[in-house]
Amino acid sequence: MIFGTLGRYFFRRYMVTTVWFFLGIISIVFLIDFSETATRMSGLPGYTVASGLLMTAVRLPLLLQQTIPFIALFVGMTVLIGLNRKYELVVTRAAGISVWQFMTPFVVGALLLGVLTVTVINPIAAWGQRQAALVETDWRGQDKLANKASQIPWIRQISGQDDVIIGAQTILENGTLLTDAVLIHFDSDGRVILRQDAKSAKLEDGYWLLKDVTERRPGEIVQRKDTVQLRTNLKQDFVRERLTPPETIAFFDLSNRIEIAKSFGVPTKALETQFHSLLSQPLLLVAMTLIAATVSLKFSRFNQSRSVILGGILSGFVLYVLTVLVKAFGSSGVVPPFVAAWIPVVVALALGATILLHQEDG
């Protein structure tokens, strides 16, 4: 039946509905994100409507990737309720086809959607996230009064007698270019002896190249310099692995980046959690489809029970929130990355299958 006429029909209904949901979500997300971007950044000197549309477009894959679990949930509910209202599932059951057989096309569709998310949407989303950072940096341009990020990524370097902590507002070029950089120098007793504020800090071979630098020393007059070279023993690969957010790394690059980070002694919990989270994405969508089935298979000619449908939506939301929460625990090292990514998905699959077994097979 899976590869027969009925299976192909169910699969086609699932995929067509998925496409329509994608188009609707893309339109809504684009309008909301463009409005939010325009409100938040229209005062920056480099902002234009065209650049705002461009930034929303490159951010769209990342935002879409975050909504895909809900798309899988609502597509499953929509298709199954529609089939029920037209008696198609009633006829299917009457023909002796079990729930596990006619649900197979929907499960296959969810798996394919998950694979598409991991192999196509995720690499585009990672690229788009990096481009969005570039666009925002270009907008800020000469804006000296731009608000600083509340969370600055800091790294520490000790080169000879120099002990320096380096932070920045924006990280570009895989962590080797820092904008609005702050460098704080300490002496051997841990006292601050120099602060350097640079418009940009570029990691070259053996040194940081600072541009448009303001230097402050305790008890001395502020000095301004066009360029300053600061010696460093940090390698570009190390800085890249230390500062690059996991969300800006494509799925196909994560394994290699994890190995490189381990070779430098850089913590890899966040990278490993991101890798396993993406790897489990297809099964997460299958779990969402099973949850949709548990609230949509009961026959109703005119309308489904609102409380049952609301329960399905709430269950899917709770699963998504739990997945994100446990992922945060994995990234921080509280729980192993493998456990953080896979346990919620496995538990949701088991619960969905158990409920269907109870409903359909007693």
mmCIF file with all atom_site columns, all heavy atoms in Angstrom, residues 93 96-103 297 352-362:
data_model
loop_
_atom_site.group_PDB
_atom_site.id
_atom_site.type_symbol
_atom_site.label_atom_id
_atom_site.label_alt_id
_atom_site.label_comp_id
_atom_site.label_asym_id
_atom_site.label_entity_id
_atom_site.label_seq_id
_atom_site.pdbx_PDB_ins_code
_atom_site.Cartn_x
_atom_site.Cartn_y
_atom_site.Cartn_z
_atom_site.occupancy
_atom_site.B_iso_or_equiv
_atom_site.pdbx_formal_charge
_atom_site.auth_seq_id
_atom_site.auth_comp_id
_atom_site.auth_asym_id
_atom_site.auth_atom_id
_atom_site.pdbx_PDB_model_num
ATOM 1   N N   . ARG A 1 93  ? -9.898  2.564  6.342  1.00 0.00 ? 93  ARG A N   1
ATOM 2   C CA  . ARG A 1 93  ? -10.024 1.604  7.433  1.00 0.00 ? 93  ARG A CA  1
ATOM 3   C C   . ARG A 1 93  ? -10.933 0.440  7.047  1.00 0.00 ? 93  ARG A C   1
ATOM 4   O O   . ARG A 1 93  ? -10.662 -0.714 7.394  1.00 0.00 ? 93  ARG A O   1
ATOM 5   C CB  . ARG A 1 93  ? -10.566 2.300  8.686  1.00 0.00 ? 93  ARG A CB  1
ATOM 6   C CG  . ARG A 1 93  ? -9.638  3.328  9.303  1.00 0.00 ? 93  ARG A CG  1
ATOM 7   C CD  . ARG A 1 93  ? -10.382 4.064  10.413 1.00 0.00 ? 93  ARG A CD  1
ATOM 8   N NE  . ARG A 1 93  ? -9.637  5.189  10.956 1.00 0.00 ? 93  ARG A NE  1
ATOM 9   C CZ  . ARG A 1 93  ? -8.826  5.122  11.984 1.00 0.00 ? 93  ARG A CZ  1
ATOM 10  N NH1 . ARG A 1 93  ? -8.619  3.981  12.597 1.00 0.00 ? 93  ARG A NH1 1
ATOM 11  N NH2 . ARG A 1 93  ? -8.207  6.202  12.424 1.00 0.00 ? 93  ARG A NH2 1
ATOM 12  N N   . GLY A 1 96  ? -9.526  -2.500 5.327  1.00 0.00 ? 96  GLY A N   1
ATOM 13  C CA  . GLY A 1 96  ? -8.644  -3.370 6.096  1.00 0.00 ? 96  GLY A CA  1
ATOM 14  C C   . GLY A 1 96  ? -7.228  -2.844 6.242  1.00 0.00 ? 96  GLY A C   1
ATOM 15  O O   . GLY A 1 96  ? -6.326  -3.594 6.642  1.00 0.00 ? 96  GLY A O   1
ATOM 16  N N   . ILE A 1 97  ? -7.028  -1.575 5.961  1.00 0.00 ? 97  ILE A N   1
ATOM 17  C CA  . ILE A 1 97  ? -5.690  -0.982 6.070  1.00 0.00 ? 97  ILE A CA  1
ATOM 18  C C   . ILE A 1 97  ? -5.533  -0.404 7.462  1.00 0.00 ? 97  ILE A C   1
ATOM 19  O O   . ILE A 1 97  ? -6.358  0.400  7.916  1.00 0.00 ? 97  ILE A O   1
ATOM 20  C CB  . ILE A 1 97  ? -5.486  0.103  4.996  1.00 0.00 ? 97  ILE A CB  1
ATOM 21  C CG1 . ILE A 1 97  ? -5.605  -0.515 3.598  1.00 0.00 ? 97  ILE A CG1 1
ATOM 22  C CG2 . ILE A 1 97  ? -4.135  0.778  5.159  1.00 0.00 ? 97  ILE A CG2 1
ATOM 23  C CD1 . ILE A 1 97  ? -5.564  0.498  2.480  1.00 0.00 ? 97  ILE A CD1 1
ATOM 24  N N   . SER A 1 98  ? -4.494  -0.791 8.154  1.00 0.00 ? 98  SER A N   1
ATOM 25  C CA  . SER A 1 98  ? -4.291  -0.346 9.534  1.00 0.00 ? 98  SER A CA  1
ATOM 26  C C   . SER A 1 98  ? -3.733  1.073  9.562  1.00 0.00 ? 98  SER A C   1
ATOM 27  O O   . SER A 1 98  ? -3.238  1.603  8.560  1.00 0.00 ? 98  SER A O   1
ATOM 28  C CB  . SER A 1 98  ? -3.327  -1.286 10.262 1.00 0.00 ? 98  SER A CB  1
ATOM 29  O OG  . SER A 1 98  ? -2.009  -1.128 9.764  1.00 0.00 ? 98  SER A OG  1
ATOM 30  N N   . VAL A 1 99  ? -3.796  1.659  10.765 1.00 0.00 ? 99  VAL A N   1
ATOM 31  C CA  . VAL A 1 99  ? -3.290  3.017  10.935 1.00 0.00 ? 99  VAL A CA  1
ATOM 32  C C   . VAL A 1 99  ? -1.806  3.085  10.632 1.00 0.00 ? 99  VAL A C   1
ATOM 33  O O   . VAL A 1 99  ? -1.305  4.086  10.097 1.00 0.00 ? 99  VAL A O   1
ATOM 34  C CB  . VAL A 1 99  ? -3.590  3.513  12.366 1.00 0.00 ? 99  VAL A CB  1
ATOM 35  C CG1 . VAL A 1 99  ? -2.858  2.666  13.403 1.00 0.00 ? 99  VAL A CG1 1
ATOM 36  C CG2 . VAL A 1 99  ? -3.203  4.980  12.520 1.00 0.00 ? 99  VAL A CG2 1
ATOM 37  N N   . TRP A 1 100 ? -1.068  2.040  10.935 1.00 0.00 ? 100 TRP A N   1
ATOM 38  C CA  . TRP A 1 100 ? 0.374   2.051  10.705 1.00 0.00 ? 100 TRP A CA  1
ATOM 39  C C   . TRP A 1 100 ? 0.696   2.028  9.222  1.00 0.00 ? 100 TRP A C   1
ATOM 40  O O   . TRP A 1 100 ? 1.715   2.578  8.797  1.00 0.00 ? 100 TRP A O   1
ATOM 41  C CB  . TRP A 1 100 ? 1.028   0.866  11.413 1.00 0.00 ? 100 TRP A CB  1
ATOM 42  C CG  . TRP A 1 100 ? 0.663   0.823  12.854 1.00 0.00 ? 100 TRP A CG  1
ATOM 43  C CD1 . TRP A 1 100 ? -0.166  -0.069 13.469 1.00 0.00 ? 100 TRP A CD1 1
ATOM 44  C CD2 . TRP A 1 100 ? 1.077   1.744  13.871 1.00 0.00 ? 100 TRP A CD2 1
ATOM 45  N NE1 . TRP A 1 100 ? -0.300  0.228  14.804 1.00 0.00 ? 100 TRP A NE1 1
ATOM 46  C CE2 . TRP A 1 100 ? 0.463   1.336  15.080 1.00 0.00 ? 100 TRP A CE2 1
ATOM 47  C CE3 . TRP A 1 100 ? 1.904   2.858  13.886 1.00 0.00 ? 100 TRP A CE3 1
ATOM 48  C CZ2 . TRP A 1 100 ? 0.652   2.004  16.280 1.00 0.00 ? 100 TRP A CZ2 1
ATOM 49  C CZ3 . TRP A 1 100 ? 2.092   3.529  15.085 1.00 0.00 ? 100 TRP A CZ3 1
ATOM 50  C CH2 . TRP A 1 100 ? 1.481   3.113  16.259 1.00 0.00 ? 100 TRP A CH2 1
ATOM 51  N N   . GLN A 1 101 ? -0.194  1.430  8.432  1.00 0.00 ? 101 GLN A N   1
ATOM 52  C CA  . GLN A 1 101 ? 0.035   1.405  6.984  1.00 0.00 ? 101 GLN A CA  1
ATOM 53  C C   . GLN A 1 101 ? -0.278  2.753  6.348  1.00 0.00 ? 101 GLN A C   1
ATOM 54  O O   . GLN A 1 101 ? 0.514   3.274  5.563  1.00 0.00 ? 101 GLN A O   1
ATOM 55  C CB  . GLN A 1 101 ? -0.814  0.305  6.352  1.00 0.00 ? 101 GLN A CB  1
ATOM 56  C CG  . GLN A 1 101 ? -0.356  -1.106 6.675  1.00 0.00 ? 101 GLN A CG  1
ATOM 57  C CD  . GLN A 1 101 ? -1.279  -2.157 6.089  1.00 0.00 ? 101 GLN A CD  1
ATOM 58  O OE1 . GLN A 1 101 ? -2.463  -2.208 6.412  1.00 0.00 ? 101 GLN A OE1 1
ATOM 59  N NE2 . GLN A 1 101 ? -0.734  -2.988 5.220  1.00 0.00 ? 101 GLN A NE2 1
ATOM 60  N N   . PHE A 1 102 ? -1.471  3.327  6.660  1.00 0.00 ? 102 PHE A N   1
ATOM 61  C CA  . PHE A 1 102 ? -1.796  4.587  5.975  1.00 0.00 ? 102 PHE A CA  1
ATOM 62  C C   . PHE A 1 102 ? -1.064  5.788  6.585  1.00 0.00 ? 102 PHE A C   1
ATOM 63  O O   . PHE A 1 102 ? -1.048  6.868  5.995  1.00 0.00 ? 102 PHE A O   1
ATOM 64  C CB  . PHE A 1 102 ? -3.305  4.828  5.912  1.00 0.00 ? 102 PHE A CB  1
ATOM 65  C CG  . PHE A 1 102 ? -3.991  5.107  7.219  1.00 0.00 ? 102 PHE A CG  1
ATOM 66  C CD1 . PHE A 1 102 ? -3.820  6.312  7.891  1.00 0.00 ? 102 PHE A CD1 1
ATOM 67  C CD2 . PHE A 1 102 ? -4.875  4.173  7.760  1.00 0.00 ? 102 PHE A CD2 1
ATOM 68  C CE1 . PHE A 1 102 ? -4.481  6.574  9.083  1.00 0.00 ? 102 PHE A CE1 1
ATOM 69  C CE2 . PHE A 1 102 ? -5.541  4.439  8.949  1.00 0.00 ? 102 PHE A CE2 1
ATOM 70  C CZ  . PHE A 1 102 ? -5.338  5.641  9.609  1.00 0.00 ? 102 PHE A CZ  1
ATOM 71  N N   . MET A 1 103 ? -0.432  5.616  7.767  1.00 0.00 ? 103 MET A N   1
ATOM 72  C CA  . MET A 1 103 ? 0.386   6.694  8.313  1.00 0.00 ? 103 MET A CA  1
ATOM 73  C C   . MET A 1 103 ? 1.799   6.704  7.725  1.00 0.00 ? 103 MET A C   1
ATOM 74  O O   . MET A 1 103 ? 2.513   7.695  7.849  1.00 0.00 ? 103 MET A O   1
ATOM 75  C CB  . MET A 1 103 ? 0.486   6.564  9.838  1.00 0.00 ? 103 MET A CB  1
ATOM 76  C CG  . MET A 1 103 ? -0.703  7.127  10.610 1.00 0.00 ? 103 MET A CG  1
ATOM 77  S SD  . MET A 1 103 ? -0.940  8.894  10.345 1.00 0.00 ? 103 MET A SD  1
ATOM 78  C CE  . MET A 1 103 ? 0.593   9.552  11.009 1.00 0.00 ? 103 MET A CE  1
ATOM 79  N N   . LEU A 1 297 ? -7.067  11.536 14.169 1.00 0.00 ? 297 LEU A N   1
ATOM 80  C CA  . LEU A 1 297 ? -7.568  10.326 13.519 1.00 0.00 ? 297 LEU A CA  1
ATOM 81  C C   . LEU A 1 297 ? -8.992  9.976  13.921 1.00 0.00 ? 297 LEU A C   1
ATOM 82  O O   . LEU A 1 297 ? -9.647  9.188  13.237 1.00 0.00 ? 297 LEU A O   1
ATOM 83  C CB  . LEU A 1 297 ? -6.643  9.135  13.836 1.00 0.00 ? 297 LEU A CB  1
ATOM 84  C CG  . LEU A 1 297 ? -5.284  9.160  13.142 1.00 0.00 ? 297 LEU A CG  1
ATOM 85  C CD1 . LEU A 1 297 ? -4.463  7.944  13.530 1.00 0.00 ? 297 LEU A CD1 1
ATOM 86  C CD2 . LEU A 1 297 ? -5.452  9.224  11.626 1.00 0.00 ? 297 LEU A CD2 1
ATOM 87  N N   . GLY A 1 352 ? 4.147   9.030  21.299 1.00 0.00 ? 352 GLY A N   1
ATOM 88  C CA  . GLY A 1 352 ? 3.223   9.086  20.163 1.00 0.00 ? 352 GLY A CA  1
ATOM 89  C C   . GLY A 1 352 ? 2.817   7.707  19.694 1.00 0.00 ? 352 GLY A C   1
ATOM 90  O O   . GLY A 1 352 ? 1.632   7.450  19.438 1.00 0.00 ? 352 GLY A O   1
ATOM 91  N N   . ALA A 1 353 ? 3.791   6.800  19.581 1.00 0.00 ? 353 ALA A N   1
ATOM 92  C CA  . ALA A 1 353 ? 3.484   5.433  19.151 1.00 0.00 ? 353 ALA A CA  1
ATOM 93  C C   . ALA A 1 353 ? 2.612   4.710  20.174 1.00 0.00 ? 353 ALA A C   1
ATOM 94  O O   . ALA A 1 353 ? 1.690   3.964  19.823 1.00 0.00 ? 353 ALA A O   1
ATOM 95  C CB  . ALA A 1 353 ? 4.780   4.660  18.919 1.00 0.00 ? 353 ALA A CB  1
ATOM 96  N N   . THR A 1 354 ? 2.885   4.946  21.455 1.00 0.00 ? 354 THR A N   1
ATOM 97  C CA  . THR A 1 354 ? 2.093   4.296  22.522 1.00 0.00 ? 354 THR A CA  1
ATOM 98  C C   . THR A 1 354 ? 0.639   4.771  22.504 1.00 0.00 ? 354 THR A C   1
ATOM 99  O O   . THR A 1 354 ? -0.292  3.954  22.619 1.00 0.00 ? 354 THR A O   1
ATOM 100 C CB  . THR A 1 354 ? 2.726   4.602  23.887 1.00 0.00 ? 354 THR A CB  1
ATOM 101 O OG1 . THR A 1 354 ? 4.064   4.114  23.918 1.00 0.00 ? 354 THR A OG1 1
ATOM 102 C CG2 . THR A 1 354 ? 1.925   3.929  24.996 1.00 0.00 ? 354 THR A CG2 1
ATOM 103 N N   . ILE A 1 355 ? 0.431   6.066  22.332 1.00 0.00 ? 355 ILE A N   1
ATOM 104 C CA  . ILE A 1 355 ? -0.939  6.597  22.295 1.00 0.00 ? 355 ILE A CA  1
ATOM 105 C C   . ILE A 1 355 ? -1.693  6.055  21.088 1.00 0.00 ? 355 ILE A C   1
ATOM 106 O O   . ILE A 1 355 ? -2.870  5.681  21.175 1.00 0.00 ? 355 ILE A O   1
ATOM 107 C CB  . ILE A 1 355 ? -0.908  8.139  22.281 1.00 0.00 ? 355 ILE A CB  1
ATOM 108 C CG1 . ILE A 1 355 ? -0.349  8.655  23.604 1.00 0.00 ? 355 ILE A CG1 1
ATOM 109 C CG2 . ILE A 1 355 ? -2.303  8.705  22.057 1.00 0.00 ? 355 ILE A CG2 1
ATOM 110 C CD1 . ILE A 1 355 ? -0.135  10.148 23.640 1.00 0.00 ? 355 ILE A CD1 1
ATOM 111 N N   . LEU A 1 356 ? -1.024  5.992  19.933 1.00 0.00 ? 356 LEU A N   1
ATOM 112 C CA  . LEU A 1 356 ? -1.673  5.441  18.745 1.00 0.00 ? 356 LEU A CA  1
ATOM 113 C C   . LEU A 1 356 ? -2.006  3.968  18.930 1.00 0.00 ? 356 LEU A C   1
ATOM 114 O O   . LEU A 1 356 ? -3.086  3.498  18.505 1.00 0.00 ? 356 LEU A O   1
ATOM 115 C CB  . LEU A 1 356 ? -0.780  5.632  17.517 1.00 0.00 ? 356 LEU A CB  1
ATOM 116 C CG  . LEU A 1 356 ? -0.767  7.037  16.880 1.00 0.00 ? 356 LEU A CG  1
ATOM 117 C CD1 . LEU A 1 356 ? 0.174   7.073  15.690 1.00 0.00 ? 356 LEU A CD1 1
ATOM 118 C CD2 . LEU A 1 356 ? -2.170  7.446  16.456 1.00 0.00 ? 356 LEU A CD2 1
ATOM 119 N N   . LEU A 1 357 ? -1.107  3.212  19.542 1.00 0.00 ? 357 LEU A N   1
ATOM 120 C CA  . LEU A 1 357 ? -1.386  1.804  19.819 1.00 0.00 ? 357 LEU A CA  1
ATOM 121 C C   . LEU A 1 357 ? -2.617  1.674  20.718 1.00 0.00 ? 357 LEU A C   1
ATOM 122 O O   . LEU A 1 357 ? -3.475  0.807  20.489 1.00 0.00 ? 357 LEU A O   1
ATOM 123 C CB  . LEU A 1 357 ? -0.174  1.152  20.499 1.00 0.00 ? 357 LEU A CB  1
ATOM 124 C CG  . LEU A 1 357 ? 0.955   0.704  19.574 1.00 0.00 ? 357 LEU A CG  1
ATOM 125 C CD1 . LEU A 1 357 ? 2.168   0.307  20.398 1.00 0.00 ? 357 LEU A CD1 1
ATOM 126 C CD2 . LEU A 1 357 ? 0.497   -0.473 18.700 1.00 0.00 ? 357 LEU A CD2 1
ATOM 127 N N   . HIS A 1 358 ? -2.724  2.523  21.721 1.00 0.00 ? 358 HIS A N   1
ATOM 128 C CA  . HIS A 1 358 ? -3.859  2.465  22.640 1.00 0.00 ? 358 HIS A CA  1
ATOM 129 C C   . HIS A 1 358 ? -5.164  2.831  21.939 1.00 0.00 ? 358 HIS A C   1
ATOM 130 O O   . HIS A 1 358 ? -6.205  2.211  22.139 1.00 0.00 ? 358 HIS A O   1
ATOM 131 C CB  . HIS A 1 358 ? -3.601  3.391  23.822 1.00 0.00 ? 358 HIS A CB  1
ATOM 132 C CG  . HIS A 1 358 ? -4.752  3.471  24.781 1.00 0.00 ? 358 HIS A CG  1
ATOM 133 N ND1 . HIS A 1 358 ? -5.089  2.436  25.643 1.00 0.00 ? 358 HIS A ND1 1
ATOM 134 C CD2 . HIS A 1 358 ? -5.672  4.478  25.003 1.00 0.00 ? 358 HIS A CD2 1
ATOM 135 C CE1 . HIS A 1 358 ? -6.153  2.789  26.358 1.00 0.00 ? 358 HIS A CE1 1
ATOM 136 N NE2 . HIS A 1 358 ? -6.519  4.011  25.995 1.00 0.00 ? 358 HIS A NE2 1
ATOM 137 N N   . GLN A 1 359 ? -5.094  3.870  21.077 1.00 0.00 ? 359 GLN A N   1
ATOM 138 C CA  . GLN A 1 359 ? -6.304  4.338  20.388 1.00 0.00 ? 359 GLN A CA  1
ATOM 139 C C   . GLN A 1 359 ? -6.768  3.363  19.312 1.00 0.00 ? 359 GLN A C   1
ATOM 140 O O   . GLN A 1 359 ? -7.983  3.122  19.161 1.00 0.00 ? 359 GLN A O   1
ATOM 141 C CB  . GLN A 1 359 ? -6.056  5.715  19.754 1.00 0.00 ? 359 GLN A CB  1
ATOM 142 C CG  . GLN A 1 359 ? -5.905  6.841  20.753 1.00 0.00 ? 359 GLN A CG  1
ATOM 143 C CD  . GLN A 1 359 ? -5.650  8.163  20.063 1.00 0.00 ? 359 GLN A CD  1
ATOM 144 O OE1 . GLN A 1 359 ? -5.302  8.213  18.871 1.00 0.00 ? 359 GLN A OE1 1
ATOM 145 N NE2 . GLN A 1 359 ? -5.804  9.263  20.803 1.00 0.00 ? 359 GLN A NE2 1
ATOM 146 N N   . GLU A 1 360 ? -5.836  2.799  18.558 1.00 0.00 ? 360 GLU A N   1
ATOM 147 C CA  . GLU A 1 360 ? -6.193  2.001  17.385 1.00 0.00 ? 360 GLU A CA  1
ATOM 148 C C   . GLU A 1 360 ? -6.251  0.493  17.658 1.00 0.00 ? 360 GLU A C   1
ATOM 149 O O   . GLU A 1 360 ? -7.078  -0.194 17.091 1.00 0.00 ? 360 GLU A O   1
ATOM 150 C CB  . GLU A 1 360 ? -5.182  2.270  16.256 1.00 0.00 ? 360 GLU A CB  1
ATOM 151 C CG  . GLU A 1 360 ? -5.103  3.726  15.839 1.00 0.00 ? 360 GLU A CG  1
ATOM 152 C CD  . GLU A 1 360 ? -6.394  4.235  15.241 1.00 0.00 ? 360 GLU A CD  1
ATOM 153 O OE1 . GLU A 1 360 ? -7.081  3.417  14.569 1.00 0.00 ? 360 GLU A OE1 1
ATOM 154 O OE2 . GLU A 1 360 ? -6.729  5.417  15.441 1.00 0.00 ? 360 GLU A OE2 1
ATOM 155 N N   . ASP A 1 361 ? -5.365  0.015  18.495 1.00 0.00 ? 361 ASP A N   1
ATOM 156 C CA  . ASP A 1 361 ? -5.286  -1.433 18.708 1.00 0.00 ? 361 ASP A CA  1
ATOM 157 C C   . ASP A 1 361 ? -5.706  -1.859 20.116 1.00 0.00 ? 361 ASP A C   1
ATOM 158 O O   . ASP A 1 361 ? -5.554  -3.012 20.489 1.00 0.00 ? 361 ASP A O   1
ATOM 159 C CB  . ASP A 1 361 ? -3.840  -1.923 18.450 1.00 0.00 ? 361 ASP A CB  1
ATOM 160 C CG  . ASP A 1 361 ? -3.398  -1.613 17.034 1.00 0.00 ? 361 ASP A CG  1
ATOM 161 O OD1 . ASP A 1 361 ? -4.247  -1.606 16.140 1.00 0.00 ? 361 ASP A OD1 1
ATOM 162 O OD2 . ASP A 1 361 ? -2.187  -1.376 16.829 1.00 0.00 ? 361 ASP A OD2 1
ATOM 163 N N   . GLY A 1 362 ? -6.196  -0.885 20.893 1.00 0.00 ? 362 GLY A N   1
ATOM 164 C CA  . GLY A 1 362 ? -6.635  -1.233 22.239 1.00 0.00 ? 362 GLY A CA  1
ATOM 165 C C   . GLY A 1 362 ? -5.497  -1.458 23.171 1.00 0.00 ? 362 GLY A C   1
ATOM 166 O O   . GLY A 1 362 ? -5.637  -2.113 24.180 1.00 0.00 ? 362 GLY A O   1
#
